[in-house]
Amino acid sequence: SQKLSFIAGPCAMESREHALETAHALKEIGERLGANIIYKSSFDKANRTSAGSARGIGLDKALPIFEEVRLKTGLPVLTDVHTAEQCAEVGQVIDVLQIPAFLCRQTDLLVAAAQTGRAVNVKKGQFLAPWDMKNVIAKLTEAGNPNVFACERGVSFGYNTLVSDMRALPIMSDIGCPIVFDATHSVQQPGGQGGRSGGQREFVPHLARAAVSIGVAMVFMETHPDPDNAPSDGPNMIPMRYFEALCADLLEFDALAKARPPMTFD
Amino acid sequence: SQKLSFIAGPCAMESREHALETAHALKEIGERLGANIIYKSSFDKANRTSAGSARGIGLDKALPIFEEVRLKTGLPVLTDVHTAEQCAEVGQVIDVLQIPAFLCRQTDLLVAAAQTGRAVNVKKGQFLAPWDMKNVIAKLTEAGNPNVFACERGVSFGYNTLVSDMRALPIMSDIGCPIVFDATHSVQQPGGQGGRSGGQREFVPHLARAAVSIGVAMVFMETHPDPDNAPSDGPNMIPMRYFEALCADLLEFDALAKARPPMTFD
Amino acid sequence: SQKLSFIAGPCAMESREHALETAHALKEIGERLGANIIYKSSFDKANRTSAGSARGIGLDKALPIFEEVRLKTGLPVLTDVHTAEQCAEVGQVIDVLQIPAFLCRQTDLLVAAAQTGRAVNVKKGQFLAPWDMKNVIAKLTEAGNPNVFACERGVSFGYNTLVSDMRALPIMSDIGCPIVFDATHSVQQPGGQGGRSGGQREFVPHLARAAVSIGVAMVFMETHPDPDNAPSDGPNMIPMRYFEALCADLLEFDALAKARPPMTFD
Amino acid sequence: SQKLSFIAGPCAMESREHALETAHALKEIGERLGANIIYKSSFDKANRTSAGSARGIGLDKALPIFEEVRLKTGLPVLTDVHTAEQCAEVGQVIDVLQIPAFLCRQTDLLVAAAQTGRAVNVKKGQFLAPWDMKNVIAKLTEAGNPNVFACERGVSFGYNTLVSDMRALPIMSDIGCPIVFDATHSVQQPGGQGGRSGGQREFVPHLARAAVSIGVAMVFMETHPDPDNAPSDGPNMIPMRYFEALCADLLEFDALAKARPPMTFD
């Protein structure tokens, strides 16, 4: 198996300057670590807890910025799509289209994303069993796109709480596609602050390490220079000044894990 | 409070003949019971467990049939919408637009549904706490539409299982909108049969009665002349030959519940 | 089926005076309602959230008081047992021995309780599926005691939260023993206040009504003249001044439910 | 932090020969690995799913065998206690008394175990939040025994299923006692085979590795020469021929984890 990669960036794209600055910082971190980083940011927060929350800068403004990020940093870029109609346009610029967890069973969206020919990262719904991702992945591959990642981001556990069932990683891996562990959304507390979601940033290092030691292709972690003032997902994003050390830590465990796949019994 | 109404019909619209036949049967049942029935059917199963499952007859074929159902039976009609784009067209014919549970936080869809001016029935996501529906309802009412129903249809409980937390009914009722209890999807076993969902039809009478005795405005129950051969949700639909007796039973409990709201303490 | 009975009383026995006073009040309520009431109280809170909480007056002091309650009020009495050793002694005085939920799989305790020949009320563990109660009940009946009740009191749902799965009532009823719905512990929030459990008394009327409308033999509700100053389970006990009206409400639904068992399908 | 230790042995003590044979095998594995192993076995399965299942050889027969195991192998021994009365006697022979998960809130049992002066391993109840273990641990330490381990063994997640919330490890670690991860009971499927529990042995290597990479003092794993013919917990025990390689794997991750505690943020 290949060395661990990272999907990282601020939850929401805030401006051209912010995007370029964070992408450059991540590019340099990736170079120092010798690890691939895919730059992630969202142009639209389409399913905010409440209508009063910021939505994002929108597709039209975001695509040229993503293009500039790619050109200037060389990083591949990832963003999430919310409707089938967006896919073709997004696919002209974006390297990896991401299917949000709530939308992971919307057939038209999956097919349209697959048909761009770009890689697709599908988040497992909070309401889905890991074995049910087989049907989700099949919707994409049967649409002619084998380049699909399956992403664990926590499963509903009572109210306003998610839990990371680490068995989901080997179960989804058996489907045959690269596995992504989303360490920052796994500690989200959906709706946990009334009008917005809470989060438990402090457990990201633990959960990410657990996933990496089992063996995953990629870790997804949102990071921001100043999470407490970010427009969304602040409570679970990693402050950027900690990001490199956290990735370095995970790469140590990854090296060990990739050298030793978990034991299987006859 | 007003007498209990029903939202009922086959999960998927199968053909003009099937729709008219089931709608006429329901109209007669409603007349015999003296109860309002809203005819429900879906033109598209947009989030089937697997891609191989039937999708439905589509919007263009379905809308004229819904119109004919309204004209010939006098029943109001309900169908679910999956994209913001569909809402205006659907709203020209359909009395109640329904937001599917997976999509209950998609702001654009909610706003577009609200802007039709039609009534909107929002299903609570399987991943949502009942108090979080306040934000969902607000997305609709702030878009100018006060005519919104909140629908309980079960919450994720481990894998491939839902549970009906009856506390959700009074909690959502406090938001201030009519409450619908979806008795047939509450017994769904999502993904529980591998490539499709299972269901526990045998518990519909129990859960519906529990909800009605607490006090709800409407019960949602899918019904079909031959559920075991229906294109979707067969395991949880009510065979139509039992439907009238089941509604009659619920109306008895409704009469008692409406006369006696549950006690509150100082 | 027979008319609904109640198991009621203060969570913990506080003193002879308190027990006699509450038992007399309940006896009079039962007479006015024409309903059987079993007087419940605990002599030991053996599994308090924290060691600093009060334990109770103890077996030796409690048994004569229970005996006096029986003699003076004519009410049958129920208390919970925590060890196999206690059962024989408790069984000389107490009409119904109760197995606490955490202990519902402790074989020796179940067998010792069964061997007293008294009725046994077993609470379903918060960690148990309703169908697993078949094995629990069998431990009692195979020990020679057919007089067993199965009691639903909520199942773990995330952290510090229980949910009442109303399907448990028909599932456990199929085992063949009378079903008790514990309405006050079902709204407990275990450990939810740090050093002690919280509770949501406000939902007791809703959940009790839901259970009764499905059809149960007994409702268990703890009640206290002054719950907010009770030594345990205050947040979920019913203030005694509301108790009679609450029971009267439930009896209305019970009459309807007993006349109409929930529909079954072929 | 110190190097990872193991708690290991067959779920149930079957005979003197079986105990000595498995203990010798484990002693040799421990020597080859340079790791401490505590020999675990149960003299009584006091809470079997059903009464028809084997109970075990009993306390009187088991204690001399445990003593012989200690003398002949030099391994410390661990067994579980089910009543307060057993503790003093068990404490004369056994190095570590274990409190079963269902009993983790039974105050008298905890106090009696603490008062033996032996180390106590408390399993977190399947119904308990990790932060609630603070109260459980305090019951032991306030009884004068600081030598307490807190053990994670899965939390209820729907019916017949447990999930390992890896956040429990740092949360319980903050209480201030050594943390044990029970890798074989965490994959138990309680009651999952009708009259007995199922298990998912295949995920033990994954979950154990995840826990060790976060950092734990001990891993608990039941192991048996022939699990499929063991009297209890066969589906989740590790075949003994795999045990050494599995421990060696975990020790690699432990070395890395102990050198690098998970990052904390300001």
Side-chain angles (χ1 to χ4, degrees):
Chain A
S1 296
Q2 289 189 305
K3 185 174 177 175
L4 184 68
S5 299
F6 297 94
I7 300 172
C11 179
M13 185 173 277
E14 299 177 22
S15 69
R16 177 179 169 273
E17 290 66 33
H18 193 264
L20 286 167
E21 182 194 313
T22 53
H24 274 294
L26 289 168
K27 172 208 164 78
E28 287 169 21
I29 289 171
E31 284 175 352
R32 285 193 295 268
L33 296 171
N36 291 324
I37 294 184
I38 299 171
Y39 182 76
K40 185 267 166 181
S41 210
S42 295
F43 60 82
D44 183 18
K45 306 310 296 175
N47 57 25
R48 296 301 299 260
T49 302
S50 62
S53 305
R55 280 289 295 264
I57 65 170
L59 182 57
D60 292 343
K61 276 198 182 164
L63 284 186
I65 301 175
F66 277 119
E67 196 147 30
E68 194 174 349
V69 164
R70 290 183 79 198
L71 285 171
K72 294 215 171 137
T73 66
L75 297 183
V77 293
L78 173 151
T79 201
D80 33 4
V81 284
H82 310 281
T83 66
E85 287 67 32
Q86 292 171 340
C87 292
E89 189 179 353
V90 169
Q92 289 178 346
V93 173
I94 298 291
D95 300 275
V96 186
L97 277 69
Q98 180 169 286
I99 307 294
F102 291 155
L103 303 182
C104 75
R105 276 182 49 175
Q106 303 301 316
T107 308
D108 289 342
L109 176 61
L110 292 165
V111 169
Q115 287 173 345
T116 63
R118 297 291 194 168
V120 181
N121 180 34
V122 199
K123 298 215 175 176
K124 179 166 71 64
Q126 299 88 338
F127 44 81
L128 215 67
W131 43 87
D132 292 331
M133 280 294 277
K134 199 176 92 171
N135 295 310
V136 170
I137 299 297
K139 288 185 186 181
L140 291 156
T141 53
E142 287 168 14
N145 191 334
N147 196 5
V148 179
F149 320 149
C151 179
E152 168 63 33
R153 52 91 77 234
V155 60
S156 282
F157 179 65
Y159 291 133
N160 301 313
T161 309
L162 301 169
V163 67
S164 297
D165 182 354
M166 293 293 166
R167 292 171 296 196
L169 304 177
I171 292 170
M172 294 200 299
S173 183
D174 280 350
I175 302 171
C177 54
I179 301 302
V180 182
F181 181 71
D182 177 345
T184 49
H185 289 96
S186 292
V187 300
Q188 211 180 29
Q189 296 173 308
Q193 302 189 353
R196 59 207 174 90
S197 291
Q200 299 177 305
R201 179 192 301 155
E202 65 272 27
F203 297 123
V204 169
H206 305 81
L207 295 187
R209 210 189 244 195
V212 166
S213 71
I214 291 172
V216 292
M218 287 169 255
V219 167
F220 176 114
M221 289 193 289
E222 291 184 343
T223 182
H224 193 279
D226 183 14
D228 294 338
N229 292 302
S232 65
D233 270 340
N236 43 302
M237 279 198 284
I238 299 297
M240 206 175 259
R241 65 187 182 281
Y242 290 102
F243 190 76
E244 183 168 355
L246 180 50
C247 292
D249 182 83
L250 296 177
L251 286 166
E252 296 273 350
F253 284 85
D254 178 64
L256 194 54
K258 294 283 162 65
R260 305 177 144 265
M263 172 178 288
T264 56
F265 307 117
D266 293 338
Chain B
S1 296
Q2 289 190 303
K3 184 175 177 176
L4 185 67
S5 299
F6 298 94
I7 299 172
C11 179
M13 185 174 277
E14 299 177 23
S15 69
R16 177 176 169 276
E17 290 66 33
H18 194 264
L20 286 168
E21 181 194 314
T22 52
H24 273 295
L26 289 168
K27 171 208 166 76
E28 287 169 20
I29 289 171
E31 284 175 353
R32 284 193 295 267
L33 296 171
N36 291 325
I37 294 184
I38 299 172
Y39 182 75
K40 185 268 167 180
S41 207
S42 295
F43 59 83
D44 183 18
K45 307 309 297 174
N47 57 24
R48 296 302 298 263
T49 300
S50 62
S53 306
R55 281 289 294 265
I57 64 169
L59 181 57
D60 293 343
K61 276 196 183 165
L63 284 185
I65 301 174
F66 277 119
E67 196 148 29
E68 194 175 348
V69 164
R70 290 182 79 197
L71 284 171
K72 294 213 171 139
T73 67
L75 297 182
V77 292
L78 174 151
T79 201
D80 32 5
V81 285
H82 310 281
T83 66
E85 287 67 32
Q86 292 171 341
C87 291
E89 189 178 353
V90 168
Q92 288 177 348
V93 172
I94 298 291
D95 301 274
V96 186
L97 278 69
Q98 179 167 285
I99 308 294
F102 293 156
L103 303 182
C104 76
R105 279 182 47 174
Q106 304 300 317
T107 308
D108 289 342
L109 176 61
L110 293 164
V111 169
Q115 287 173 345
T116 63
R118 297 292 194 168
V120 181
N121 180 34
V122 200
K123 298 215 173 176
K124 179 164 72 62
Q126 299 88 336
F127 44 80
L128 216 66
W131 43 87
D132 292 331
M133 279 294 277
K134 200 177 91 170
N135 295 309
V136 170
I137 300 296
K139 288 185 186 182
L140 291 156
T141 54
E142 288 167 13
N145 191 335
N147 195 6
V148 179
F149 321 149
C151 179
E152 168 63 33
R153 50 92 77 235
V155 60
S156 282
F157 178 66
Y159 290 133
N160 301 315
T161 309
L162 301 169
V163 68
S164 297
D165 182 355
M166 294 292 166
R167 293 171 297 196
L169 304 177
I171 292 170
M172 294 200 300
S173 183
D174 280 349
I175 301 172
C177 54
I179 302 302
V180 182
F181 181 72
D182 177 345
T184 48
H185 289 96
S186 292
V187 300
Q188 211 181 29
Q189 296 174 309
Q193 302 189 353
R196 59 207 173 91
S197 291
Q200 298 177 304
R201 179 191 302 153
E202 65 271 28
F203 296 123
V204 169
H206 305 81
L207 296 186
R209 210 190 246 195
V212 165
S213 71
I214 291 171
V216 293
M218 285 169 257
V219 167
F220 176 115
M221 290 193 289
E222 291 182 343
T223 182
H224 192 279
D226 183 13
D228 295 339
N229 292 302
S232 65
D233 270 340
N236 43 302
M237 280 198 284
I238 299 297
M240 205 174 260
R241 67 187 180 279
Y242 291 102
F243 190 75
E244 183 168 355
L246 180 50
C247 292
D249 181 84
L250 298 176
L251 286 165
E252 295 273 350
F253 284 85
D254 178 64
L256 194 54
K258 294 283 161 65
R260 308 178 142 260
M263 171 179 289
T264 56
F265 306 116
D266 292 337
Chain C
S1 297
Q2 289 190 304
K3 185 175 178 176
L4 185 68
S5 299
F6 298 93
I7 300 172
C11 179
M13 185 173 277
E14 299 178 22
S15 69
R16 177 179 169 274
E17 290 66 33
H18 193 263
L20 286 168
E21 181 193 314
T22 53
H24 272 295
L26 289 168
K27 171 209 165 75
E28 287 169 20
I29 290 171
E31 284 174 353
R32 285 193 295 268
L33 296 170
N36 292 323
I37 294 184
I38 299 172
Y39 182 77
K40 185 268 167 181
S41 208
S42 295
F43 59 83
D44 183 18
K45 306 309 297 175
N47 58 24
R48 296 303 297 261
T49 301
S50 63
S53 306
R55 281 288 294 264
I57 65 170
L59 181 57
D60 292 344
K61 276 198 183 163
L63 284 185
I65 300 174
F66 277 119
E67 196 147 30
E68 196 175 348
V69 165
R70 289 183 79 198
L71 285 171
K72 294 216 171 135
T73 67
L75 297 182
V77 292
L78 173 151
T79 201
D80 33 4
V81 286
H82 311 280
T83 67
E85 288 67 32
Q86 292 171 342
C87 291
E89 190 179 353
V90 169
Q92 289 177 349
V93 173
I94 297 292
D95 301 275
V96 186
L97 278 69
Q98 180 168 285
I99 308 294
F102 293 155
L103 304 182
C104 75
R105 277 182 47 174
Q106 303 301 316
T107 308
D108 289 343
L109 176 61
L110 292 165
V111 169
Q115 287 174 344
T116 63
R118 296 291 193 169
V120 181
N121 181 34
V122 200
K123 297 214 175 176
K124 179 165 72 63
Q126 299 88 337
F127 44 81
L128 216 66
W131 43 86
D132 292 330
M133 280 294 277
K134 199 175 92 171
N135 295 310
V136 170
I137 300 296
K139 288 185 185 181
L140 290 156
T141 54
E142 288 167 12
N145 191 334
N147 196 4
V148 179
F149 320 149
C151 179
E152 168 61 35
R153 49 93 75 235
V155 61
S156 282
F157 178 66
Y159 291 133
N160 302 313
T161 309
L162 301 169
V163 68
S164 297
D165 182 355
M166 293 293 165
R167 291 171 297 195
L169 304 176
I171 292 170
M172 294 199 300
S173 183
D174 279 350
I175 301 171
C177 55
I179 302 302
V180 183
F181 181 71
D182 177 345
T184 49
H185 289 96
S186 292
V187 299
Q188 212 181 27
Q189 296 173 309
Q193 302 189 352
R196 59 207 173 88
S197 292
Q200 299 177 304
R201 179 191 302 154
E202 66 270 29
F203 297 123
V204 169
H206 306 80
L207 295 186
R209 209 189 246 195
V212 166
S213 72
I214 291 171
V216 293
M218 287 169 255
V219 167
F220 177 114
M221 290 193 287
E222 291 184 342
T223 182
H224 192 278
D226 183 13
D228 295 338
N229 292 302
S232 65
D233 269 340
N236 42 302
M237 279 198 284
I238 299 298
M240 206 174 260
R241 66 187 181 282
Y242 290 102
F243 190 76
E244 184 169 354
L246 180 51
C247 292
D249 182 84
L250 297 176
L251 286 165
E252 297 272 351
F253 285 84
D254 178 64
L256 194 54
K258 294 283 162 65
R260 307 178 144 261
M263 173 180 286
T264 55
F265 306 116
D266 292 337
Chain D
S1 296
Q2 289 190 304
K3 183 174 177 175
L4 184 68
S5 298
F6 298 93
I7 300 173
C11 179
M13 184 173 277
E14 299 177 22
S15 69
R16 176 177 168 274
E17 291 64 35
H18 193 265
L20 286 168
E21 182 194 312
T22 51
H24 274 294
L26 289 168
K27 171 208 164 79
E28 287 169 21
I29 289 171
E31 284 175 352
R32 284 193 297 267
L33 297 171
N36 291 325
I37 295 184
I38 299 172
Y39 182 77
K40 185 269 167 180
S41 208
S42 295
F43 60 83
D44 184 17
K45 306 310 295 174
N47 57 24
R48 297 302 298 262
T49 301
S50 63
S53 306
R55 280 290 293 265
I57 65 169
L59 182 57
D60 293 343
K61 276 197 181 164
L63 284 185
I65 300 173
F66 277 118
E67 195 147 31
E68 196 175 347
V69 165
R70 288 183 79 198
L71 284 171
K72 294 214 170 137
T73 65
L75 297 183
V77 293
L78 173 151
T79 202
D80 32 5
V81 285
H82 312 280
T83 66
E85 287 67 33
Q86 293 172 340
C87 291
E89 190 179 353
V90 169
Q92 289 177 348
V93 172
I94 297 291
D95 299 275
V96 186
L97 278 69
Q98 180 168 285
I99 307 294
F102 292 155
L103 303 182
C104 76
R105 279 184 45 175
Q106 302 301 316
T107 309
D108 289 342
L109 176 61
L110 292 165
V111 170
Q115 288 174 345
T116 63
R118 296 293 192 166
V120 181
N121 180 35
V122 200
K123 298 215 175 176
K124 178 165 71 64
Q126 298 88 337
F127 45 81
L128 217 66
W131 43 86
D132 292 332
M133 280 295 276
K134 200 176 91 170
N135 295 310
V136 170
I137 300 296
K139 289 186 185 181
L140 291 157
T141 54
E142 287 168 14
N145 191 335
N147 195 6
V148 179
F149 320 149
C151 179
E152 168 63 31
R153 51 92 76 235
V155 61
S156 282
F157 178 66
Y159 291 133
N160 302 313
T161 309
L162 300 169
V163 68
S164 297
D165 182 355
M166 293 293 167
R167 293 171 297 196
L169 304 177
I171 291 169
M172 295 200 298
S173 184
D174 280 349
I175 301 171
C177 56
I179 301 303
V180 183
F181 181 72
D182 178 345
T184 49
H185 289 96
S186 292
V187 299
Q188 212 180 29
Q189 296 174 309
Q193 303 189 351
R196 59 207 173 90
S197 291
Q200 298 177 303
R201 180 190 302 153
E202 65 271 28
F203 297 123
V204 169
H206 305 81
L207 295 186
R209 210 189 244 195
V212 166
S213 70
I214 290 172
V216 293
M218 287 169 257
V219 166
F220 177 114
M221 290 193 289
E222 291 183 343
T223 180
H224 192 279
D226 183 13
D228 295 338
N229 293 302
S232 65
D233 269 340
N236 43 302
M237 281 198 283
I238 300 297
M240 204 174 263
R241 66 186 182 281
Y242 290 102
F243 190 75
E244 182 168 354
L246 179 51
C247 293
D249 182 83
L250 297 177
L251 286 165
E252 296 273 350
F253 284 85
D254 179 63
L256 193 55
K258 294 283 161 66
R260 308 179 142 263
M263 172 179 288
T264 55
F265 306 117
D266 292 337

